[in-house]
Amino acid sequence: MHIIHPVILCGGSGTRLWPLSRKSFPKQFTPILDGRSLFQATAARLNGPGEGLDFAAPVVVTNAMFRFVVTEQLVGEGIDPGAILIEPEGRNTAPAICAAALFLSRTDPDALMLVAPSDHLIPDDRALRSAVAEGVPSALSGHLTLFGIRPTRPETGYGYLELAAAAEGPTPLRRFVEKPDAETAARLIDDGQHLWNAGIFLFRASDILAAFETHAPEVLAAVREAVEQAEVDLGFLRLAPEPWSRAPDISVDYAVMERSAGLHVVPYDSDWSDLGGWDAIWSVLDKDAAGNAISNHATAIDCTDTLLRSESQDVELVGIGLSDMIAVAMNDAVLVAPMDRAQEVKDAVAALKAKGAGQATTFPVDHRPWGWFQSLVVRDRFQVKRIHVHPGGALSLQSHFHRSEHWIVVQGTARVTVDDEVSLLSENQSVYVPLGSVHRLENPGKVPMVLIEVQTGSYLGEDDIIRYEDVYARDGAE
Amino acid sequence: MHIIHPVILCGGSGTRLWPLSRKSFPKQFTPILDGRSLFQATAARLNGPGEGLDFAAPVVVTNAMFRFVVTEQLVGEGIDPGAILIEPEGRNTAPAICAAALFLSRTDPDALMLVAPSDHLIPDDRALRSAVAEGVPSALSGHLTLFGIRPTRPETGYGYLELAAAAEGPTPLRRFVEKPDAETAARLIDDGQHLWNAGIFLFRASDILAAFETHAPEVLAAVREAVEQAEVDLGFLRLAPEPWSRAPDISVDYAVMERSAGLHVVPYDSDWSDLGGWDAIWSVLDKDAAGNAISNHATAIDCTDTLLRSESQDVELVGIGLSDMIAVAMNDAVLVAPMDRAQEVKDAVAALKAKGAGQATTFPVDHRPWGWFQSLVVRDRFQVKRIHVHPGGALSLQSHFHRSEHWIVVQGTARVTVDDEVSLLSENQSVYVPLGSVHRLENPGKVPMVLIEVQTGSYLGEDDIIRYEDVYARDGAE
């Protein structure tokens, strides 16, 4: 049985699924298709034994903003969080994969790595694992091994892998084919020799590092320093910012794969989607007889081939007489577009950013290591928040210069510290936190604690905070 | 100078402007086009002296649900609320107009009445008043006088008034023309003899009552009893429910106008719209070069001839590549439809009602005589409300069986009674209202008071209330 180390890349934040995917909480962490996130599905697919493989605890590469979400979602799936490498900034896939390879080679230079994006849909876990198992002999023979999806339509949005011959099993790669035009795409899908490049790779750490050494030594040099100088912080490995910033911002395809020889490709014949837009989401969802994919709290009247999604139990979305349309409604943002313009959603995000709308990048719900909070209303001199604290969770010991807070527990039990006073509050009890007082909120119980916080004051930003102690070792407003 | 009594009908609640217009707060009370409501604009147009007329305080016919809104909005315009007649239930225009005529004839049997809907757009107040002045001699000669809008397009959605001759001034009516098909409509607009029926009437009380006596005696009999047995309640005239329920549910056109002889029509040549759908709203709004009407918090990318409205400062609406579309977004509901299907919005409301969605008929904001409140979040065992109390406003003295309340003042000053305790709370002070305690909330100040209410308990419905005293003499949960 081969031990394989999953390397899961989840530092990115695409905007093509706005308003559901935003910089502050991107699509891989959102339950888009069912109760679990794509990141969780990816981690679960690449976990434990099965199909002749045994997966070790994952190496996750992400950024600081998502580190607690990663831990929480892995724990939610019952998966050992393994190693979480924190990128000081996003530098595309080459530095991320290089860092994971260097990290793994510390304990085993020949560690077998399966690198996977965290935001794709692969419904058949066993088929994927079988494909990985098929690729193991290639990887153990020193071939950088890629996985290619058997195309089902003349897609112009993906790059293609051209095989040396039409084949079922692992096959030498002849060349990479850039995103084709429609005519070329139509030709490519018929010969059995062209597969979609899924961005999934299998290789030994030593082999990929040798390839970096040969083809992208400047990536390897910078990342090596960033890993060597990394700081361990509550189990997270924080890559060193200064050397990391010297690593080129480049994909592993451009930096290494397209320059290497002897690549092998394992064809993958089962369903796959990159979920790279609302059109892709629509195509994988269950649809009614008229081709509509309709969520809870959405109503379609005489619509065809339309995606209608309400992402909030508090928002009713109604579409009348729509054809080939996308409508996505959230508490704070709504998108409406024809299906064939799904790729332009990123322009919408840019437009919102330009006009200074917070919805471009952030959500009203903010995830923290201790739970989450939602701003219910913000006005000039007051704000109301709903705060959920996980069992055992604790907010930092803190104070504010510009606001007082009223806390009312509406579910569970809170342990509250205000200056020298510590008290236990249960449902329907409240406490006042005067301006300037040093305070902390904890959930000592076994069930979630919910409280309503009413802030009043002249300035209500998250950055009016002084932290005295924090079990999560956070900086500033995070 | 002729004294004219405006009779403003505002008991109805159309659904074609859903989600902005709902049963609980319909379009005539909503600021759709500018800062004032259509009802306010109507009342202001028909107020005081000008153009050779002098309007008396209005007689407003509405239903119980809207009586405080009517008062508040009239006061907001600086208009004497006059008489407010409350229909126990909606019975279309014939009984409403009959009731107003009976009410006015108590003091002056020959009172000159100008009956107007409250939800139409008439931008040129002076032109309308001039038209009314033109109609006065007809009305004083005993002719039931109608106002007909000079058509600007072959509209199939309105009934037409066919004149005896093409003319500028008051002209005898030849006949009513039912809503025509497209071909007929195209013919009608060219001969100068066909005008849109605007539902605006001028007549003496004695003349319309005589017409009811002749053509609809069953309406007159029932309404007469309802007026005779009406109760005066804080200045509102509550028509008696039992006789009122015997009045036929019928329009004044069918009941009286179409059966009467000697009708006169005054042509009206200025702008007018019944705002009878989102397409009509779009057509009267300012548009960009591509024909888009775009509100604050809405963004159009490459759209044409599209209405994009966000009705909330907290919701960003984005449309991409839309043509001839309507998208209206609110905090709790979103509508998307092609412009030419605007009339089907009422079907959407029916569909939502059928699935039990509160958004079909009610808003998260609830208007009360003392101010308004908004539910910020409702879950099983807690609810958070934001409550605005006008200066001088007072909630009833009340208690609840199933919930406790925490009140935190975030703006202004509150006088709070909890059992025997009366206290003044200012910004940032709070009070606890235990389950079962008898309590009252007032705003004794000169500026609006805002508080956050956090309710906890096993049942949180508005109908868990016992009222001990109420300055507004309300029943139950209203």
Side-chain angles (χ1 to χ4, degrees):
Chain A
M1 193 118 78
H2 298 287
I3 303 278
I4 299 188
H5 297 268
V7 174
I8 303 176
L9 309 179
C10 59
S13 49
T15 56
R16 290 181 298 174
L17 293 185
W18 186 90
L20 188 60
S21 180
R22 305 185 201 176
K23 194 175 175 203
S24 76
F25 202 78
K27 85 178 211 233
Q28 61 267 30
F29 300 119
T30 305
I32 293 192
L33 299 173
D34 52 28
R36 60 157 46 149
S37 73
L38 297 167
F39 168 71
Q40 287 178 306
T42 303
R45 186 182 306 128
L46 307 177
N47 185 47
E51 269 64 50
L53 307 170
D54 191 4
F55 280 101
V59 176
V60 178
V61 187
T62 189
N63 71 48
M65 204 160 44
F66 308 142
R67 67 194 194 278
F68 298 112
V69 178
V70 164
T71 312
E72 190 183 324
Q73 294 203 344
L74 289 173
V75 169
E77 286 287 313
I79 295 173
D80 175 351
I84 299 175
L85 275 54
I86 297 178
E87 301 173 294
E89 58 185 311
R91 307 299 282 171
N92 210 326
T93 51
I97 292 171
C98 187
L102 288 165
F103 174 79
L104 285 167
S105 68
R106 287 178 174 181
T107 42
D108 176 6
D110 289 327
L112 205 50
M113 305 165 56
L114 190 278
V115 177
S118 58
D119 58 352
H120 292 175
L121 174 69
I122 301 178
D124 188 344
D125 288 357
R126 296 183 62 171
L128 193 273
R129 293 175 68 115
S130 294
V132 173
E134 276 190 90
V136 167
S138 292
L140 291 180
S141 309
H143 300 285
L144 302 181
T145 302
L146 292 75
F147 295 81
I149 313 295
R150 191 80 69 187
T152 53
R153 58 180 188 277
E155 175 66 52
T156 58
Y158 305 146
Y160 286 70
L161 304 172
E162 183 176 317
L163 307 186
E168 290 304 307
T171 308
L173 175 80
R174 181 179 293 155
R175 62 183 186 105
F176 286 88
V177 179
E178 292 281 328
K179 292 178 186 177
D181 58 29
E183 200 185 326
T184 312
R187 221 174 47 238
L188 295 184
I189 63 163
D190 283 334
D191 65 3
Q193 272 178 263
H194 289 89
L195 308 179
W196 294 335
N197 184 356
I200 305 175
F201 307 101
L202 183 70
F203 36 63
R204 290 183 301 206
S206 49
D207 295 323
I208 189 70
L209 290 174
F212 273 109
E213 181 74 68
T214 307
H215 302 295
E218 67 293 1
V219 172
L220 182 61
V223 174
R224 177 171 278 143
E225 271 191 69
V227 173
E228 279 167 2
Q229 298 166 25
E231 278 182 29
V232 176
D233 167 12
L234 288 175
F236 302 107
L237 192 76
R238 284 182 180 274
L239 302 169
E242 191 279 317
W244 183 261
S245 70
R246 282 188 273 117
D249 189 328
I250 190 169
S251 76
V252 74
D253 284 348
Y254 284 121
V256 172
M257 297 296 164
E258 298 187 5
R259 303 175 186 179
S260 297
L263 274 57
H264 276 193
V265 179
V266 181
Y268 181 73
D269 291 283
S270 229
D271 288 346
W272 171 90
S273 169
D274 74 339
L275 301 178
W278 285 113
D279 49 345
I281 299 284
W282 172 79
S283 71
V284 303
L285 285 170
D286 288 340
K287 288 176 271 292
D288 67 16
N292 302 304
I294 305 166
S295 74
N296 283 338
H297 301 287
T299 303
I301 298 178
D302 195 21
C303 295
T304 51
D305 299 327
T306 285
L307 176 70
L308 283 183
R309 281 179 74 114
S310 165
E311 301 290 344
S312 164
Q313 63 177 292
D314 299 318
V315 180
E316 286 290 333
L317 168 65
V318 177
I320 301 175
L322 305 178
S323 285
D324 299 291
M325 293 284 294
I326 297 158
V328 181
M330 302 191 75
N331 276 308
D332 67 335
V334 177
L335 169 75
V336 184
M339 194 69 76
D340 62 6
R341 302 190 69 163
Q343 293 306 312
E344 293 171 50
V345 170
K346 55 186 188 307
D347 303 339
V349 177
L352 286 181
K353 224 181 255 177
K355 70 190 257 196
Q359 286 90 337
T361 53
T362 56
F363 284 99
V365 170
D366 209 330
H367 291 263
R368 299 297 168 110
W370 43 260
W372 55 267
F373 67 84
Q374 177 183 14
S375 182
L376 297 174
V377 60
V378 195
R379 291 297 179 264
D380 262 6
R381 291 188 49 87
F382 69 93
Q383 172 166 221
V384 183
K385 285 183 182 177
R386 171 183 172 196
I387 300 179
H388 277 238
V389 184
H390 300 314
L395 282 69
S396 61
L397 185 68
Q398 57 188 240
S399 68
H400 313 292
F401 284 119
H402 302 290
R403 67 178 187 256
S404 315
E405 296 172 345
H406 289 264
W407 292 346
I408 300 108
V409 176
V410 294
Q411 186 188 309
T413 302
R415 182 191 292 130
V416 171
T417 306
V418 179
D419 292 327
D420 299 331
E421 198 93 12
V422 179
S423 49
L424 277 182
L425 302 185
S426 61
E427 181 182 309
N428 198 25
Q429 296 189 304
S430 68
V431 70
Y432 175 58
V433 181
L435 188 153
S437 68
V438 176
H439 57 278
R440 186 204 290 278
L441 177 63
E442 297 162 273
N443 178 1
K446 301 291 183 203
V447 298
M449 185 268 286
V450 183
L451 70 70
I452 304 299
E453 175 177 279
V454 181
Q455 307 177 346
T456 54
S458 53
Y459 177 79
L460 304 170
E462 292 299 322
D463 54 347
D464 172 20
I465 188 167
I466 299 180
R467 285 229 171 83
Y468 302 93
E469 283 172 35
D470 182 25
V471 293
Y472 312 106
R474 292 167 298 165
D475 299 322
E478 75 162 352
Chain B
M1 192 117 79
H2 298 287
I3 303 280
I4 299 189
H5 297 269
V7 173
I8 303 177
L9 308 179
C10 59
S13 48
T15 56
R16 290 181 297 174
L17 293 186
W18 186 89
L20 188 61
S21 180
R22 305 185 200 177
K23 193 175 176 202
S24 75
F25 202 78
K27 85 177 207 230
Q28 61 267 30
F29 300 119
T30 305
I32 293 192
L33 299 174
D34 51 28
R36 61 159 43 153
S37 73
L38 296 167
F39 168 72
Q40 287 178 306
T42 302
R45 186 181 307 128
L46 307 176
N47 185 48
E51 271 64 50
L53 306 171
D54 191 4
F55 281 102
V59 177
V60 178
V61 188
T62 189
N63 71 47
M65 205 160 43
F66 308 142
R67 67 194 194 279
F68 298 112
V69 179
V70 164
T71 312
E72 189 182 324
Q73 294 204 345
L74 289 173
V75 169
E77 285 289 312
I79 295 173
D80 175 352
I84 299 175
L85 276 52
I86 297 177
E87 302 173 293
E89 57 185 312
R91 308 299 282 170
N92 210 326
T93 50
I97 292 170
C98 186
L102 288 165
F103 174 80
L104 286 168
S105 67
R106 286 178 173 181
T107 43
D108 177 5
D110 290 327
L112 205 51
M113 304 165 56
L114 190 278
V115 177
S118 58
D119 58 350
H120 292 177
L121 173 70
I122 301 178
D124 188 343
D125 288 357
R126 296 182 63 169
L128 193 272
R129 293 175 69 115
S130 295
V132 172
E134 277 189 90
V136 168
S138 293
L140 291 179
S141 311
H143 300 286
L144 302 181
T145 303
L146 292 75
F147 295 82
I149 313 296
R150 192 79 69 187
T152 52
R153 59 181 187 276
E155 175 65 54
T156 58
Y158 305 147
Y160 286 70
L161 304 172
E162 183 176 317
L163 307 186
E168 290 304 308
T171 309
L173 176 80
R174 180 178 293 156
R175 63 182 185 103
F176 287 87
V177 179
E178 293 279 329
K179 292 178 186 175
D181 58 28
E183 201 184 326
T184 312
R187 221 174 47 236
L188 296 183
I189 62 163
D190 283 334
D191 65 5
Q193 273 178 263
H194 290 89
L195 308 178
W196 293 334
N197 185 354
I200 306 175
F201 307 101
L202 182 70
F203 36 62
R204 291 183 302 207
S206 49
D207 294 324
I208 189 71
L209 290 173
F212 272 110
E213 182 73 68
T214 307
H215 302 296
E218 67 292 1
V219 172
L220 182 60
V223 174
R224 176 170 278 142
E225 273 191 65
V227 172
E228 280 167 0
Q229 298 166 26
E231 279 182 30
V232 175
D233 167 13
L234 288 175
F236 301 108
L237 193 77
R238 282 181 180 275
L239 301 170
E242 190 279 319
W244 184 262
S245 70
R246 281 188 273 117
D249 188 329
I250 190 168
S251 77
V252 74
D253 284 350
Y254 284 121
V256 173
M257 298 295 163
E258 298 187 4
R259 302 174 185 179
S260 297
L263 273 58
H264 277 193
V265 178
V266 180
Y268 182 74
D269 291 283
S270 229
D271 287 345
W272 171 91
S273 170
D274 73 340
L275 301 180
W278 285 113
D279 49 346
I281 300 285
W282 172 81
S283 71
V284 303
L285 285 170
D286 289 338
K287 288 176 271 293
D288 67 16
N292 302 304
I294 304 166
S295 73
N296 284 339
H297 302 286
T299 304
I301 298 178
D302 195 22
C303 295
T304 51
D305 299 326
T306 285
L307 176 70
L308 283 183
R309 279 179 74 113
S310 166
E311 301 289 344
S312 165
Q313 62 177 294
D314 299 318
V315 180
E316 286 291 333
L317 168 64
V318 178
I320 302 175
L322 306 178
S323 284
D324 299 290
M325 293 285 294
I326 297 159
V328 181
M330 302 191 73
N331 276 309
D332 67 335
V334 178
L335 169 74
V336 184
M339 194 69 77
D340 62 6
R341 302 191 69 162
Q343 293 306 311
E344 294 171 50
V345 171
K346 56 185 186 308
D347 304 338
V349 177
L352 286 181
K353 225 181 252 176
K355 70 190 255 194
Q359 285 91 338
T361 53
T362 57
F363 284 99
V365 169
D366 208 332
H367 291 263
R368 299 298 167 109
W370 42 260
W372 55 267
F373 68 82
Q374 177 182 14
S375 182
L376 297 175
V377 59
V378 195
R379 290 296 179 265
D380 262 6
R381 292 187 51 87
F382 70 93
Q383 173 166 219
V384 182
K385 285 182 183 175
R386 171 183 172 196
I387 300 179
H388 277 239
V389 184
H390 300 313
L395 283 69
S396 61
L397 185 68
Q398 58 187 241
S399 69
H400 313 291
F401 284 119
H402 302 290
R403 66 176 188 255
S404 315
E405 296 171 346
H406 289 264
W407 293 346
I408 300 108
V409 176
V410 294
Q411 185 187 310
T413 301
R415 182 191 292 129
V416 170
T417 307
V418 179
D419 292 327
D420 299 331
E421 198 93 13
V422 179
S423 48
L424 278 181
L425 302 185
S426 61
E427 182 182 309
N428 197 26
Q429 295 188 303
S430 68
V431 70
Y432 175 58
V433 182
L435 188 154
S437 68
V438 176
H439 56 278
R440 187 203 290 277
L441 177 64
E442 297 161 274
N443 178 1
K446 300 291 182 203
V447 298
M449 185 268 286
V450 184
L451 71 71
I452 304 299
E453 174 177 279
V454 181
Q455 307 177 346
T456 54
S458 53
Y459 178 79
L460 304 169
E462 292 299 321
D463 54 348
D464 173 19
I465 188 167
I466 299 180
R467 285 229 169 81
Y468 303 92
E469 281 172 37
D470 181 26
V471 293
Y472 312 106
R474 292 168 299 164
D475 299 322
E478 74 161 353

